[in-house]
Amino acid sequence: MDVQVVNCMTCEEFVRVFGNVVERCPLIAAALWSRRPFSSTLELENGFNEFIDSLSIEGKEGILRCHPDLAGRELLAGTLTVESRGEQGQAGLTSLSSADALRMNQLNSQYKEQFGFPFVICARMSDKDRILQQLESRVRNQQLQELQCDIEEVKSICRLRLQDIYNRAAKSTKL
Amino acid sequence: MDVQVVNCMTCEEFVRVFGNVVERCPLIAAALWSRRPFSSTLELENGFNEFIDSLSIEGKEGILRCHPDLAGRELLAGTLTVESRGEQGQAGLTSLSSADALRMNQLNSQYKEQFGFPFVICARMSDKDRILQQLESRVRNQQLQELQCDIEEVKSICRLRLQDIYNRAAKSTKL
């Protein structure tokens, strides 16, 4: 997607296209529309990162709490966002054995109990074994260290979601 | 709803109950969970206001851009949130004459063109004549003055949505 296409979007179009780059936080994309024109798509990506970094600790925790559990209730209920469903599928979380599913649920609960926000990881850059290992290890982190760790994962998710949007746009232009 | 009930909610419950107090901005409710325990429901309401006030100008504009047009495309398409649908209905916006609907659409477009965010008003404290009159008059405001005006309307909407939540909880306790 050419950055000029992005710069020509109305705010409704922009929020429709980029509204879930940060999971269930359309407010962030909607805020970034104020920064047009962007000189490059990288500048838009940086905008997401900067906005996230500019939030207070509770604001960052709020972002994390808008994320679903991995292999959790929402996956079973079919209420995940399209993006999240795809990402959890790619990491093999939609076809866990009962034992792995149980283990992940226990660790997710323990993690949320510990920190007050869900465990977030860029699932597409991982797989179920690494996710289980990360859950087991990160639950021992300090509160602020773990908040920052989760927020960096949110940024990785953002980057891949933006790439998907650009790739889809490039494909549809070629058709 | 007793504030102790609020204080006992998990973050998932809290976001489910309060996630749309600010239209399509569950991030804000999710952030406020960090402030528990609340000493009163008023403190929770103040929390919403403080969080909104703490955002940058682009963040506040982002909140506004998550709001639908009044009597706009989303009302016709049936994609409004439950809360928004109810509020627009109470203000008589679901049964406008064609002439009023056309006028409101023209003014909404003009307003968005002018300010880069949609016109927001607490519809339940208004009616279609006042809304049309406000649209006509506020479009002549200065940018920052109008941003602040819209944000104060968002806070009024929040307050009434919180009251609704408490009233519903009180009723269901009595059943």
Side-chain angles (χ1 to χ4, degrees):
Chain A
M1 186 183 282
D2 191 90
V3 73
Q4 294 316 320
V5 176
V6 176
N7 288 333
C8 288
M9 288 180 179
T10 64
C11 66
E12 288 94 340
E13 287 168 339
F14 192 88
V15 175
R16 194 162 55 240
V17 172
F18 297 107
N20 210 45
V21 165
V22 184
E23 178 76 7
R24 288 174 176 152
C25 296
L27 160 59
I28 301 181
L32 292 179
W33 192 78
S34 300
R35 298 198 186 183
R36 293 160 318 125
F38 298 99
S39 61
S40 65
T41 52
L42 181 64
E43 194 184 331
L44 174 57
E45 182 186 325
N46 290 340
F48 277 100
N49 294 341
E50 285 163 19
F51 192 95
I52 293 169
D53 286 336
S54 77
L55 290 173
S56 57
I57 288 177
E58 69 180 15
K60 292 189 179 90
E61 290 177 340
I63 290 181
L64 301 180
R65 293 186 191 116
C66 291
H67 284 70
D69 282 351
L70 292 170
R73 194 179 45 78
E74 287 212 80
L75 177 63
L76 291 173
T79 56
L80 289 176
T81 61
V82 175
E83 293 86 350
S84 223
R85 176 71 177 67
E87 289 156 359
Q88 296 204 27
Q90 283 187 46
L93 302 182
T94 49
S95 52
L96 289 182
S97 69
S98 321
D100 283 340
L102 188 64
R103 182 81 189 120
M104 200 161 290
N105 261 286
Q106 284 170 335
L107 287 168
N108 274 331
S109 298
Q110 189 187 339
Y111 182 99
K112 268 191 290 190
E113 182 70 27
Q114 173 83 9
F115 297 115
F117 47 77
F119 172 78
V120 175
I121 194 166
C122 180
R124 283 161 71 184
M125 292 166 69
S126 200
D127 59 35
K128 65 120 178 148
D129 290 326
R130 184 164 177 277
I131 289 170
L132 282 168
Q133 176 266 317
Q134 283 281 303
L135 260 166
E136 279 167 6
S137 114
R138 280 170 45 187
V139 81
R140 291 191 290 271
N141 276 351
Q142 297 297 308
Q143 179 83 17
L144 270 179
Q145 177 190 16
E146 188 51 24
L147 174 66
Q148 196 49 43
C149 194
D150 268 2
I151 286 293
E152 292 307 315
E153 296 290 336
V154 169
K155 292 180 188 171
S156 296
I157 298 169
C158 278
R159 187 165 43 80
L160 295 186
R161 288 188 180 185
L162 281 168
Q163 280 177 12
D164 282 346
I165 292 168
Y166 301 147
N167 289 342
R168 270 202 308 276
K171 269 187 201 159
S172 76
T173 310
K174 277 185 199 149
L175 290 176
Chain B
M1 184 183 284
D2 192 89
V3 73
Q4 294 316 319
V5 176
V6 177
N7 288 334
C8 288
M9 287 179 179
T10 65
C11 68
E12 287 94 340
E13 287 168 340
F14 192 88
V15 174
R16 194 163 55 240
V17 172
F18 297 107
N20 209 46
V21 165
V22 184
E23 177 76 8
R24 288 175 177 153
C25 295
L27 160 60
I28 301 181
L32 292 179
W33 192 78
S34 301
R35 298 198 186 182
R36 292 161 319 124
F38 299 98
S39 61
S40 66
T41 51
L42 182 63
E43 194 184 329
L44 174 58
E45 183 186 325
N46 290 341
F48 277 99
N49 294 341
E50 285 163 19
F51 192 95
I52 293 168
D53 287 336
S54 77
L55 289 173
S56 58
I57 288 177
E58 67 180 16
K60 292 189 179 92
E61 290 177 340
I63 289 181
L64 301 180
R65 293 187 191 117
C66 291
H67 284 71
D69 282 350
L70 292 170
R73 195 179 44 79
E74 289 213 76
L75 176 63
L76 291 173
T79 56
L80 289 176
T81 61
V82 175
E83 293 85 350
S84 222
R85 176 70 177 69
E87 289 156 0
Q88 296 204 27
Q90 282 186 46
L93 302 182
T94 49
S95 53
L96 289 182
S97 69
S98 322
D100 283 340
L102 187 64
R103 183 79 188 120
M104 200 162 288
N105 261 286
Q106 285 170 335
L107 288 167
N108 274 330
S109 298
Q110 190 187 341
Y111 183 99
K112 269 191 289 190
E113 182 69 28
Q114 173 83 9
F115 298 115
F117 47 77
F119 172 79
V120 175
I121 193 166
C122 180
R124 284 160 71 185
M125 293 167 68
S126 199
D127 59 35
K128 65 120 178 148
D129 289 327
R130 185 164 176 276
I131 289 170
L132 282 168
Q133 175 266 317
Q134 283 281 303
L135 260 166
E136 279 166 6
S137 111
R138 281 170 45 187
V139 81
R140 291 191 289 271
N141 276 350
Q142 297 297 308
Q143 180 84 16
L144 270 178
Q145 176 190 15
E146 188 51 24
L147 174 66
Q148 197 49 43
C149 195
D150 268 1
I151 286 293
E152 293 307 314
E153 296 289 336
V154 169
K155 292 179 186 171
S156 297
I157 297 169
C158 278
R159 187 165 45 79
L160 295 187
R161 288 188 180 184
L162 280 169
Q163 280 176 13
D164 283 346
I165 293 168
Y166 301 148
N167 290 343
R168 270 201 308 276
K171 269 187 200 157
S172 74
T173 311
K174 278 186 198 149
L175 289 178

